[in-house]
Amino acid sequence: MSRPVPNPGILDIAPYTPGKSPVPEPGRKVFKLSANETPFGPSPKAIEAFKRVADHLEDYPEGTSRVLREAIGRSFGLDPNRIICGAGSDEILNLLAHTYLGQGDEAISTTHGFLVYPIATMAVGAKNVIAQEKNLTCDVDAILNAVTPKTKLVWLANPNNPTGTYVPFDEVKRLRAGLPSHVLLVLDAAYCDYVSRNDYEMGIELVATTENTVVTHTFSKIHGLAALRIGWMFGPEHIIDAVNRIRGPFNVSTPAMYAAVAAIEDTAHQAMSKQFTETWRNWLTEEIGKLDLKVTPSVANFVLIHFPTEGKTADAADAYLTKRGLVLRALKNYGLPHALRMTIGTEEANRLVVEGLRDFMAGK
């Protein structure tokens, strides 16, 4: 019996596996620290904006997300006509792949880059090429050495998930200058709001001054709107025009649009979250380091914790912490089987993880 057959390469794609969600048990408090969600939730103003549109759910959204593009433009000093919005930045990444990649093309990502990159690449029949990282950080020279005549696109998460590392802006500019002009550089700045380094820039300057660079961002992290699936991209006019031609006309819901406008305008909520994250990121790095566990220096809202390959392994730590209601992210699918990624949570959650790891390492 015949049946529909997927396009070549589709069944070679490993499905994206999200961080596990905890299953509450009677009498046990559970902390989900596996998905890099903010412990503060969205701005109260975003929640109010979301509720205000509830009486008009029968109406289609405005098809270009104009009010949100204008709000992003005001916030970052950008031309709204060079902004496109999507159902999370994930949708935009996939739209870019559909627009600029095809059979026989190659796209480059780094060893531990975001798993959506190879999925988006392979879904359109292109080849995903891995550029080796150095110390869990993007190596610009490795990317440049991986370029071939078939290369059409480079994916770069900056900061990177799940490592938490980043590339200084001078290195990003060196990467752009070293790539052929026809190669699109995609800068994924999902975690840029948490960075406090003088040598970092999310990429807006590079997009504004080149014809072959875009930067994507999301409302799922510091803005706390992950459930609404909303993100955006700033790019050259010709790229925005091309992607808009295949973008669904109502890909951003009205509630998401207005909640995002309120969220981006609540700078006090963002500043509070950033300061809290920085304080506890430093604390967690120091305290976990005291337990003879290595923590990769992070600039994002999570930390990467490395465990021994035998004995006190990452698998054993994951099981031990989960029993205590502390759910972290295992990273075998990212090629990091001996590490766990921990989202920076509430003060209570952060202290409980350190206490749990201390007991685990002590064999209690």
Side-chain angles (χ1 to χ4, degrees):
M1 179 184 296
S2 64
R3 60 182 184 181
V5 177
N7 287 331
I10 294 295
L11 297 183
D12 295 328
I13 298 173
Y16 183 85
T17 305
K20 62 184 177 182
S21 296
V23 179
E25 294 182 8
R28 188 182 78 174
K29 193 171 183 179
V30 176
F31 296 90
K32 182 187 177 188
L33 305 171
S34 60
N36 298 341
E37 298 154 338
T38 172
F40 300 109
S43 159
K45 296 177 181 178
I47 296 174
E48 291 174 10
F50 179 87
K51 291 178 177 178
R52 278 198 299 270
V53 301
D55 293 335
H56 300 283
L57 298 185
E58 72 279 9
D59 297 333
Y60 279 105
E62 190 279 313
T64 70
S65 304
R66 177 183 56 80
V67 294
L68 178 54
R69 289 187 294 107
E70 291 176 350
I72 295 168
R74 289 192 299 270
S75 179
F76 288 89
L78 306 177
D79 179 358
N81 292 322
R82 293 181 59 179
I83 296 170
I84 189 171
C85 297
S89 54
D90 293 358
E91 183 195 24
I92 296 172
L93 300 176
N94 278 281
L95 287 172
L96 286 168
H98 279 274
T99 305
Y100 291 100
L101 294 174
Q103 290 282 343
D105 292 335
E106 294 178 353
I108 299 172
S109 59
T110 64
T111 314
H112 305 297
F114 187 32
L115 289 179
V116 167
Y117 305 153
I119 292 174
T121 298
M122 297 170 69
V124 295
K127 179 182 178 182
N128 181 58
V129 176
I130 299 296
Q132 294 301 311
E133 297 171 356
K134 184 180 293 183
N135 298 322
L136 298 178
T137 305
C138 162
D139 182 347
V140 167
D141 291 317
I143 292 178
L144 294 176
N145 289 336
V147 173
T148 74
K150 296 181 179 180
T151 305
K152 296 293 178 62
L153 187 151
V154 172
W155 307 105
L156 178 61
N158 197 28
N160 187 56
N161 170 33
T163 62
T165 55
Y166 79 104
V167 183
F169 188 48
D170 283 348
E171 281 292 277
V172 177
K173 288 191 288 187
R174 186 167 74 87
L175 172 62
R176 177 65 274 172
L179 291 171
S181 60
H182 71 275
V183 174
L184 176 63
L185 175 59
V186 180
L187 301 174
D188 181 352
Y191 295 91
C192 69
D193 302 294
Y194 297 105
V195 185
S196 298
R197 300 293 179 91
N198 292 333
D199 60 352
Y200 176 83
E201 208 272 334
M202 67 183 291
I204 284 175
E205 176 189 322
L206 203 55
V207 176
T209 57
T210 66
E211 289 291 306
N212 43 22
T213 311
V214 298
V215 62
T216 65
H217 200 12
T218 180
F219 283 88
S220 297
K221 305 306 175 187
I222 203 166
H223 297 297
L225 297 177
L228 295 186
R229 309 311 306 125
I230 185 161
W232 58 276
M233 176 178 75
F234 175 57
E237 290 183 6
H238 68 96
I239 292 179
I240 298 299
D241 174 64
V243 174
N244 265 326
R245 292 170 186 264
I246 63 170
R247 176 186 60 83
F250 307 113
N251 61 328
V252 177
S253 73
T254 303
M257 193 186 320
Y258 283 98
V261 170
I264 204 170
E265 292 177 347
D266 191 348
T267 55
H269 187 80
Q270 296 167 51
M272 175 274 298
S273 180
K274 181 177 181 178
Q275 182 57 55
F276 178 94
T277 300
E278 187 168 327
T279 297
W280 285 95
R281 183 176 64 214
N282 293 339
W283 184 86
L284 285 164
T285 301
E286 181 178 353
E287 293 299 315
I288 296 172
K290 293 177 182 177
L291 306 176
D292 292 328
L293 294 170
K294 179 185 176 183
V295 179
T296 297
S298 172
V299 296
N301 69 330
F302 56 86
V303 292
L304 185 66
I305 310 168
H306 301 268
F307 293 83
T309 57
E310 296 180 358
K312 302 295 183 180
T313 64
D315 281 346
D318 191 26
Y320 185 91
L321 292 173
T322 299
K323 288 182 179 179
R324 291 194 173 200
L326 303 165
V327 182
L328 276 60
R329 177 70 181 267
L331 297 169
K332 292 179 181 178
N333 56 342
Y334 274 99
L336 293 164
H338 307 301
L340 297 177
R341 190 191 68 195
M342 173 192 171
T343 307
I344 296 164
T346 61
E347 177 177 350
E348 180 184 8
N350 297 334
R351 292 188 182 278
L352 286 173
V353 169
V354 170
E355 178 184 322
L357 287 173
R358 185 179 296 117
D359 290 347
F360 169 75
M361 295 301 290
K364 293 184 179 180

